[in-house]
Amino acid sequence: MTRLRLLISDSYDPWFNLAVEECIFREMTTQKILFLWRNAETVVIGQSQNPWKECNTRRMEQDGIRLARRSSGGGAVFHDLGNTCFTFMAGKPDYDKTVSTGIILQALAQLGISATASGRNDLVIDTADGVRKISGSAYRETQDRGFHHGTLLLNADLNRLADYLNPDPKKLQAKGITSVRSRVANLSEFLPDISHEHVCNAVIQAFFNHYGETATAEIISPDVYPDLPDFAAQFAKQSSWEWNFGKAPAFSHLLNERFVWGGVDIFFDVEKGLICRAQIFTDSLSPAPLQHLADMLIGCAYRTDALAACCDSLIAQFPEQGAELAELRQWLVETIK
C-alpha cells in the first residue's frame, strides 16, 4: 500500500472543506496526506479567537462574507479564490512541519519563486520594497498525529482583506489570541500567469519527489457527501453559529449612546456566545423597561436576531415607550454586528 494519500477538493465552501480536513485527520493512520483546497470569500479565524474583536462582522454580514473557525491556533485570515490552501498530515514520529514547509518552498522554487521561511509560520519574499509575506500557516498536534495547514496568496483581493480584518472599534475587553498583521504580497506580482492549478501541480510534484512515490488523486466534490466517518455531523458543527461565534473566549462589552430621551450604558459579559451578565444604566425618565431588559438579556445569544427578539418582547410589554425602545433596538442590533 502506498504511504501517500492525495485529496483535492472541488468545493469552495469553507465549512465543507474544514469538515473534510477534520474528518480525514481523525481517521488517518500511518499515511502521509496532502489535501489541497480553496475557499470562496471567507474570514477564517483561529480556534481561540474572538470574531467580534478580530473582524468587521457588520461589514461581513452586509457583504455576505462567511466566518469559519478552524481547529488550529493562530490568527485571522481572509480567503478568496485567489488563495490556494494546503494541509499536510502525518502520524508521529513522522510528523514534522519543517518537512511540509520545505515541500512548499520546493514547489515555489519549481515555479521560479525564491521564498524563505520566517518566524514561526510565514513564508516571505525579499523584495526591493522590503520583506513581503506570501503564505501563513497554522498547526495542530495530538498525541499521535499532527497537521500543518496554510494558504498561499496567488492573486487574492488584498483590499477585501483590509475591509474584513479591521474590526469595528468596539469597547471589548477580550481574551484570546489577537492577530498580528504583516505586509503581504500576491505571487502574481512575481509570476503574472500563476494559477491555482499551477500551484497545486507544483506542490503535488514536490510532495511526490520528497517521499519518492506517487498516489492517485481523490477528488472531493460538494455534490456528494464524502465517504468519511461522521462527515455530516462534522459539517453541521463547522457550519453552526455555536462553533464559529459561540466558541469565542469570554469577553466583556461596554456600549453607550445618548438618545433624545436619555443616555444609556450597557455592560455585557459574554461566555460561549451567551450573555451571562448584563447591567443597564440610564438617566431616562422611564427607566423601568431598560431595567427589565437587563434581566431578559441573561442567557440571550450575543447575536442580532436574539437581541432583536428580546427588544421586540420588551416593546410588546411596554407599548407606551414603544418609539423609544424601537430606537434602542435599532442601535443595539447595529452595534453588536
Side-chain angles (χ1 to χ4, degrees), residues 10-12 26 30 48 56 74 90 93 121 130-131 133 137 139 152 161 169 189 211 215 220 242 278 291 309 329:
D10 272 348
S11 175
Y12 301 149
R26 279 203 306 251
T30 58
S48 297
N56 191 328
N121 56 1
V131 173
K133 174 180 171 178
S137 291
Y139 312 96
L152 287 160
L161 182 147
E189 291 183 34
Y211 290 108
I220 306 240
E242 287 73 19
Q291 291 164 357
R329 176 194 191 277

Side-chain angles (χ1 to χ4, degrees), residues 154-332:
L154 275 57
N155 45 22
D157 187 341
L158 301 182
N159 293 325
R160 309 294 297 278
L161 182 147
D163 287 344
Y164 305 122
L165 295 188
N166 286 326
D168 269 351
K170 295 183 173 76
K171 292 177 182 172
L172 293 185
Q173 303 253 324
K175 299 176 184 175
I177 307 300
T178 299
S179 293
V180 177
R181 313 292 179 216
S182 305
R183 282 195 74 209
V184 296
N186 276 315
L187 290 170
S188 58
E189 291 183 34
F190 314 100
L191 200 66
D193 294 332
I194 198 165
S195 70
H196 176 67
E197 291 69 29
H198 283 146
V199 169
C200 286
N201 289 337
V203 173
I204 291 167
Q205 193 57 54
F207 179 63
F208 290 164
N209 289 346
H210 179 81
Y211 290 108
E213 58 183 285
T214 63
T216 302
E218 303 169 46
I219 305 301
I220 306 240
S221 167
D223 302 323
V224 182
Y225 261 23
D227 185 18
L228 293 166
D230 301 320
F231 178 78
Q234 184 62 38
F235 185 28
K237 172 187 171 181
Q238 208 75 52
S239 313
S240 68
W241 185 92
E242 287 73 19
W243 170 256
N244 292 306
F245 285 92
K247 281 280 289 180
F251 66 97
S252 300
H253 191 179
L254 162 63
L255 300 78
N256 47 39
E257 185 61 279
R258 176 150 289 280
F259 302 93
V260 172
W261 43 268
V264 177
D265 292 313
I266 304 180
F267 295 86
F268 293 133
D269 285 340
V270 183
E271 290 184 9
K272 298 181 179 177
L274 300 177
I275 297 169
C276 59
R277 180 169 166 267
Q279 290 181 292
I280 301 179
F281 303 95
T282 182
D283 59 6
S284 165
L285 295 174
S286 304
L290 296 180
Q291 291 164 357
H292 193 62
L293 177 62
D295 294 331
M296 293 174 66
L297 289 173
I298 306 302
C300 177
Y302 184 79
R303 54 192 287 181
T304 54
D305 56 350
L307 285 165
C310 271
C311 291
D312 290 340
S313 175
L314 191 71
I315 291 167
Q317 292 178 58
F318 296 89
E320 63 279 10
Q321 274 94 44
E324 296 173 4
L325 296 175
E327 253 191 293
L328 179 79
R329 176 194 191 277
Q330 181 69 21
W331 165 70
L332 200 51

Side-chain angles (χ1 to χ4, degrees), residues 92-148:
K92 293 180 178 178
D94 294 326
Y95 170 72
D96 184 347
K97 59 191 177 188
T98 62
V99 168
S100 44
T101 299
I103 289 171
I104 294 295
L105 290 173
Q106 186 57 46
L108 292 172
Q110 287 175 31
L111 295 168
I113 293 168
S114 178
T116 56
S118 171
R120 291 182 309 148
N121 56 1
D122 293 343
L123 299 184
V124 299
I125 294 178
D126 203 358
T127 75
D129 297 327
V131 173
R132 308 280 294 281
K133 174 180 171 178
I134 50 95
S135 175
S137 291
Y139 312 96
R140 181 177 167 203
E141 292 189 44
T142 65
Q143 192 170 2
D144 63 347
R145 66 196 70 191
F147 77 58
H148 163 197

